[in-house]
Amino acid sequence: MAKGSSQKVTKYPKNLNNINIGVVFFAVIAIYIIISVVSYFRKEHIVGYEVKEGALSTNNIYDAIALRDELIVESDTAGYVNYFAAEGGRVAVGNLVYTVDESGQLLEFLKSQGSDEVFLGDEDLGELRSQIVDFKSSFNEHDFYTVYDFKVGLDGTVQKLSNNSILNNISSLNSNSSALQAINYKYAGNTGIVIYSTDGYEDLAPSDLKLEMFDNASYSKNQLINNALVKAGDPVYKLCTSEEWSIVIHEDDPDKVQEMVDSGYIKVRFLKNQNESWGKVSTATNLNGDTFVVLTFTNSMITFCRDRILSVELITEDEKGLKIPNSAVSNKSFYLIPKAYVIKNNDNTAGVLRDKYDEQGNETSEFVNISVYNENDTEYYVNMDALRSGDTLIMPDSNERFAVGKQDTLVGVYNINKGYPDFRQIRILYQNDEYSIVKSNTMYGLSVYDYIVLDVDAVDNSSEATSE
C-alpha cells in the first residue's frame, strides 16, 4: 500500500503554442485605454465660448466734494440762539431765521405762562420723516460716526419745530415782560437755503482741495445747536446763495481725465437717492500738482445742500460690440511679407515662392502655402509655422528677392469653428477686469456666434505639449 500511494510527478516544459493570443490582445487594449484615460484627465482641455453681442457699462464710482456759494452769517449779539427757519428751506430777504435771547429766561417765562406745550403738524412731522429717510438711505455701518451727526441734526430739527410753536405763543403773552424784551429777532439779509452747520469748506475753490479731504472718515463738521449760547462773532447759520454748484472728484488716469473733458457734459448718478443730472466738465489743479475733475450743475443744489462728501457714479456711454472674456485674448507674432511676394488664389488661399536648391545644387523654387491674418497698406501678416526666419522669397515674374525676418504682434483670439484653434485678430473698443468689447465684422476678425477658445492658456499648453 505504501509503495502504491507514492507516485512520481514529472514536470514538462510549457508549450508556447498554448498562449491565448486573445487574452494578450485584450490586455494590450486595456493598457492602451488606461493610458488614454489617464492622459485625457491630465491634459488641459480646450473649452469653447460662443461670441455674442453685448455692452459694458463703465464702472466709475467716486467720492466727490460738493462746493457751493455759501455765506456764513455771524451773530452780532451774545445770548442763547433759537432757530425758526427750516434747515434746507429757502428764505427771502426779511424772513425771520433765528432769535437771540440775551437773558436766557425765555423758556422759564413761557413755562410760567403755561405756553411750553408744543404741537407738531403734518408738515413738521414730514420734515422729521424726510430727515430720517435721508439718513437711512446714506448710512454705512463702516462710518458709524455719522449716527452722532444724525442725532445732533435731529435734535436741532425738533428744537426748531418746537421754537416755531413757541413763537406763535409769544405774541399773546405779556409784551412788557423783561424776558420778552431781551429777545433779539434776526432776519435774513440775503435770499438762499439755510444750513445749520459749518465745516471750513465754505470758501474753498476746486484748486484749494487736497487729496486727504476726500476721505469721508476724516471729515468733520460743526453742528450749530439750537438754544446754544453764542457770543458776538460766532457763526449762527449759513446761506447757500446760488443754485449753481459743483462736485469735485479726483482721477489719477490722465487719459480718462481727457476723455471726460472731451465729452463736455457727463451724466452723474448720486448714489444717496439715485437721482441723475448732467454736469459740465472742467478741471482744476492744486499746488501739489493733483488734478481734479469739476462737474458743475444748475439744479438739485437744494437736494444735497446738507452734504459735503457724496458718492457718485459717472455714467458714460456704453461701448457696444462683441463681448468676449479677457481670458480668451492673446498676443501672437507674425512675419510681415510684402504684398508683391504673395500669390492669391481664386479659392482664397495664398502662398509664396521660396528659393531652394535641389540635390545637385541647382537653384529652384517651391510653392509654400501660407495663411494671411491681417494686412496693412504694403504687407501681409503671415503665420510663422510655414516659413522660417532667413528664408528667401522670390517675387513672381521677377528676380527680386526678400529675406523673411520682419515680425509684428497682433491681439486676437483663437477661433474654433473648424474644430481646431485658428487665430483671429480683434480690435478692442473697451475693456474692464472681466470682459472686452471688440468691433464686429472686421476683415480677418470675428463675427457674432463664432466659437472661440475660452482660456487661451489651454492652447499655449497644448502647443508646448505637441512640440515636446
Side-chain angles (χ1 to χ4, degrees), residues 10 49 56-57 62 84 126 137 163 167 177 191 199 214 265 267 293 297 335 347-348 384 414 428 454:
T10 303
Y49 175 86
L56 293 181
S57 295
Y62 300 88
F84 296 93
S137 63
N163 290 345
L167 184 64
S177 168
T191 299
D199 56 12
F214 289 81
Y265 286 83
K267 183 187 287 188
V293 177
F297 307 90
Y335 287 129
D347 57 356
N348 292 326
M384 302 181 69
Y414 286 94
I428 298 178
L454 177 61

Side-chain angles (χ1 to χ4, degrees), residues 93-147:
V93 175
N95 288 162
L96 177 66
V97 179
Y98 69 102
T99 63
V100 177
D101 176 17
E102 296 184 49
S103 68
Q105 300 176 356
L106 176 61
L107 186 58
E108 287 74 12
F109 176 76
L110 292 173
K111 289 182 178 179
S112 67
Q113 300 294 318
S115 301
D116 58 329
E117 294 184 1
V118 176
F119 299 96
L120 299 181
D122 292 338
E123 185 177 350
D124 299 331
L125 293 175
E127 183 176 349
L128 289 174
R129 281 193 293 267
S130 176
Q131 193 168 350
I132 294 171
V133 169
D134 286 346
F135 169 74
K136 182 179 179 181
S137 63
S138 60
F139 175 68
N140 186 338
E141 60 183 8
H142 299 295
D143 299 328
F144 191 78
Y145 65 91
T146 58
V147 174

Side-chain angles (χ1 to χ4, degrees), residues 143-160:
D143 299 328
F144 191 78
Y145 65 91
T146 58
V147 174
Y148 300 101
D149 292 340
F150 170 67
K151 177 181 179 297
V152 172
L154 196 63
D155 287 342
T157 301
V158 172
Q159 284 286 346
K160 179 206 63 181

Side-chain angles (χ1 to χ4, degrees), residues 192-322:
I193 308 300
V194 177
I195 302 296
Y196 294 123
S197 64
T198 60
D199 56 12
Y201 288 67
E202 287 81 8
D203 296 325
L204 296 182
S207 58
D208 297 325
L209 298 179
K210 299 178 181 179
L211 293 182
E212 55 266 25
M213 294 180 176
F214 289 81
D215 184 5
N216 212 339
S218 62
Y219 172 75
S220 62
K221 66 180 177 181
N222 175 34
Q223 189 70 43
L224 303 176
I225 308 300
N226 190 75
N227 205 34
L229 179 63
V230 298
K231 62 181 182 295
D234 285 349
V236 284
Y237 72 96
K238 68 182 176 185
L239 279 177
C240 300
T241 57
S242 174
E243 187 65 24
E244 183 175 290
W245 65 297
S246 301
I247 61 171
V248 182
I249 64 174
H250 176 245
E251 173 56 59
D252 291 323
D253 188 348
D255 293 333
K256 208 167 187 179
V257 172
Q258 190 59 48
E259 287 180 9
M260 296 180 190
V261 173
D262 293 341
S263 64
Y265 286 83
I266 293 179
K267 183 187 287 188
V268 179
R269 177 182 293 126
F270 297 91
L271 301 186
K272 175 180 179 179
N273 55 9
Q274 300 301 309
N275 283 4
E276 296 179 358
S277 186
W278 286 89
K280 184 178 180 180
V281 183
S282 60
T283 60
T285 305
N286 64 12
L287 296 177
N288 297 327
D290 301 314
T291 299
F292 303 107
V293 177
V294 184
L295 299 162
T296 304
F297 307 90
T298 57
N299 55 37
S300 307
M301 186 276 292
I302 191 172
T303 305
F304 306 101
C305 61
R306 296 188 183 97
D307 302 302
R308 182 63 71 186
I309 299 181
L310 291 161
S311 292
V312 299
E313 179 182 5
L314 306 189
I315 306 174
T316 58
E317 184 178 355
D318 295 343
E319 295 284 3
K320 297 181 180 179
L322 302 180

Side-chain angles (χ1 to χ4, degrees), residues 53-68:
E53 292 182 331
L56 293 181
S57 295
T58 309
N59 184 18
N60 293 324
I61 296 179
Y62 300 88
D63 285 332
I65 293 179
L67 298 180
R68 297 168 282 262

Side-chain angles (χ1 to χ4, degrees), residues 43-44 455-468:
K43 183 179 179 181
E44 189 171 0
D455 187 357
V456 71
D457 291 337
V459 177
D460 295 337
N461 293 338
S462 177
S463 300
E464 291 175 3
T466 303
S467 62
E468 292 175 359

